[in-house]
Amino acid sequence: MAAQTTGQAGKLQLGSGITSLISSLGQLQAASIQAKQFKIQGTIDRLAASQEKLRAREQAVFLRKKFLQNIGSANASFAARGISAGSGVGRQLAIQGLRTLSEDIRAVELGSEAAQTTLQLRGVQTQFASETARNIGLLRFGTKGPKAVSSLLTSFRAVRGPSKKTEEES
């Protein structure tokens, strides 16, 4: 009767050990998946930073074209009135427009640089989070995995019963 109870307890312990090992491996896999997700997000952030740089260049080109259109319209308007585009009023308008254009382009560049920096920082943070998730998974497995394996081995011994060597020594 006692041997049967020991065998049943060993089987329960074996089931517990298997469950523990599977749980540890599951935690390791979950950490690996989370690390990959963070890595993907970091790549997305780096791509977004590149796109932001291109967006700023496109905006600057648009502003320059708009400036040239405005100058062209002003020149046509001056010519229609008989005023020389190179005269004082025309020149002042062109100079003021050029200043405004320069300020607008610089504002676009600064805004873009700020957005790029933010995205690059997010990329670095997600890379750090990826490494942290992977390391935490390894640490959890490192602490629970050996315990689960030890429990599994102990339960195998309990289910198998005492070894012949142990019986001879008794």
Side-chain angles (χ1 to χ4, degrees):
M1 182 77 171
Q4 185 180 11
T5 306
T6 303
Q8 288 174 343
K11 288 177 185 177
L12 288 174
Q13 190 177 9
L14 178 63
S16 175
I18 290 171
T19 303
S20 221
L21 184 60
I22 290 171
S23 173
S24 294
L25 290 171
Q27 287 179 349
L28 183 61
Q29 184 63 27
S32 175
I33 289 169
Q34 186 179 28
K36 287 176 185 174
Q37 288 172 332
F38 281 128
K39 194 171 188 174
I40 289 168
Q41 183 60 47
T43 301
I44 290 169
D45 289 339
R46 283 190 296 280
L47 288 173
S50 295
Q51 287 176 332
E52 176 59 34
K53 189 174 185 176
L54 288 174
R55 188 203 62 76
R57 286 184 182 167
E58 288 173 354
Q59 184 68 26
V61 167
F62 170 78
L63 290 172
R64 286 181 185 108
K65 284 181 180 180
K66 190 72 172 164
F67 170 74
L68 292 174
Q69 287 173 351
N70 290 343
I71 291 295
S73 294
N75 286 342
S77 176
F78 288 143
R81 293 185 186 138
I83 302 172
S84 170
S87 69
V89 174
R91 187 178 311 143
Q92 283 301 104
L93 181 64
I95 291 170
Q96 183 58 38
L98 192 54
R99 277 191 202 129
T100 302
L101 172 66
S102 295
E103 290 169 2
D104 290 348
I105 288 174
R106 188 62 191 144
V108 167
E109 288 172 345
L110 288 173
S112 176
E113 288 171 9
Q116 289 175 54
T117 301
T118 299
L119 289 166
Q120 288 168 350
L121 286 174
R122 260 187 18 199
V124 169
Q125 288 172 333
T126 54
Q127 178 65 31
F128 179 72
S130 170
E131 292 170 9
T132 301
R134 185 177 45 252
N135 290 339
I136 287 174
L138 289 171
L139 285 173
R140 285 182 179 160
F141 181 76
T143 58
K144 291 184 179 182
K147 290 178 186 175
V149 170
S150 175
S151 173
L152 202 55
L153 290 174
T154 301
S155 61
F156 277 135
R157 288 185 193 120
V159 169
R160 188 182 66 191
S163 68
K164 292 181 181 180
K165 190 176 187 179
T166 307
E167 287 176 5
E168 291 173 3
E169 290 175 355
S170 302

